[in-house]
Amino acid sequence: MKTLQKITLIIVSIGLFTSCQSKTDVNQILSNSDTKKAIMDTIANNSDMSKDMMQAMMNSSKGKMMMTNHENMMKMIKDNPDMRKGMMTEMMEASKTDTTMMSEMCKSMMDNPKMMDMMKDKKMQSHKMTGMDKNMDMSK
């Protein structure tokens, strides 16, 4: 009888222990915007996690469609200089009234060495052209 009580107690204890463990509800976690942003920032700033996320998106029908649309849009912008210029103009106009957007754009460009080199080259070309104009005016 004591053995039966011990076995029953162990079974009840295991039952209580497993019933107290809750399964993580992903939607509940993601409903908190701070938590969701922290998760997305963590994934975005970790190259292994970013690769895993891209793979998961490519395996998802909605993610694949979104990635394909993004690729098509980038190709369209690259192939259409007027569209690219129009979008840049709109972004510049929007950033005049949105200081957060402007500072994010500036930071993004400054953090990109290739972009910084290109801007330095353009500035040097501009100074050379300005110098040539002055020299041409002096010769008259």
Side-chain angles (χ1 to χ4, degrees), residues 61-136:
S61 60
K62 287 183 180 180
K64 193 174 212 172
M65 183 172 54
M66 185 178 79
M67 296 290 284
T68 304
N69 287 343
H70 180 264
E71 289 170 4
N72 289 340
M73 185 174 165
M74 293 307 289
K75 184 179 180 333
M76 194 167 52
I77 291 169
K78 185 179 179 184
D79 294 344
N80 189 337
D82 291 334
M83 177 186 273
R84 183 174 52 244
K85 186 176 179 182
M87 290 179 75
M88 286 298 293
T89 301
E90 286 179 32
M91 283 180 17
M92 294 299 288
E93 288 300 315
S95 69
K96 288 179 183 177
T97 57
D98 186 347
T99 56
T100 303
M101 181 180 173
M102 183 183 295
S103 62
E104 286 175 2
M105 282 175 47
C106 288
K107 184 179 180 337
S108 177
M109 287 190 286
M110 291 172 69
D111 288 345
N112 185 326
K114 191 172 181 179
M115 179 69 76
M116 288 302 293
D117 290 343
M118 185 187 72
M119 287 191 291
K120 286 176 187 172
D121 288 346
K122 292 288 183 189
K123 186 174 182 180
M124 291 300 289
Q125 288 174 359
S126 174
H127 285 298
K128 287 180 182 176
M129 292 299 288
T130 305
M132 287 175 67
D133 291 344
K134 286 181 182 175
N135 288 340
M136 290 175 75

Side-chain angles (χ1 to χ4, degrees), residues 11-79:
I11 292 172
V12 169
S13 297
I14 291 172
L16 278 171
F17 180 72
T18 57
S19 68
C20 291
Q21 298 224 350
S22 63
K23 204 173 189 181
T24 304
D25 182 14
V26 176
N27 290 328
Q28 184 179 5
I29 292 170
L30 293 175
S31 67
N32 180 329
S33 61
D34 292 335
T35 304
K36 182 168 62 173
K37 182 167 178 12
I39 291 169
M40 289 190 292
D41 288 345
T42 301
I43 293 170
N45 293 316
N46 182 305
S47 62
D48 291 333
M49 287 185 185
S50 294
K51 289 176 188 173
D52 291 344
M53 176 59 85
M54 295 295 267
Q55 187 63 44
M57 289 179 72
M58 290 306 287
N59 291 336
S60 156
S61 60
K62 287 183 180 180
K64 193 174 212 172
M65 183 172 54
M66 185 178 79
M67 296 290 284
T68 304
N69 287 343
H70 180 264
E71 289 170 4
N72 289 340
M73 185 174 165
M74 293 307 289
K75 184 179 180 333
M76 194 167 52
I77 291 169
K78 185 179 179 184
D79 294 344

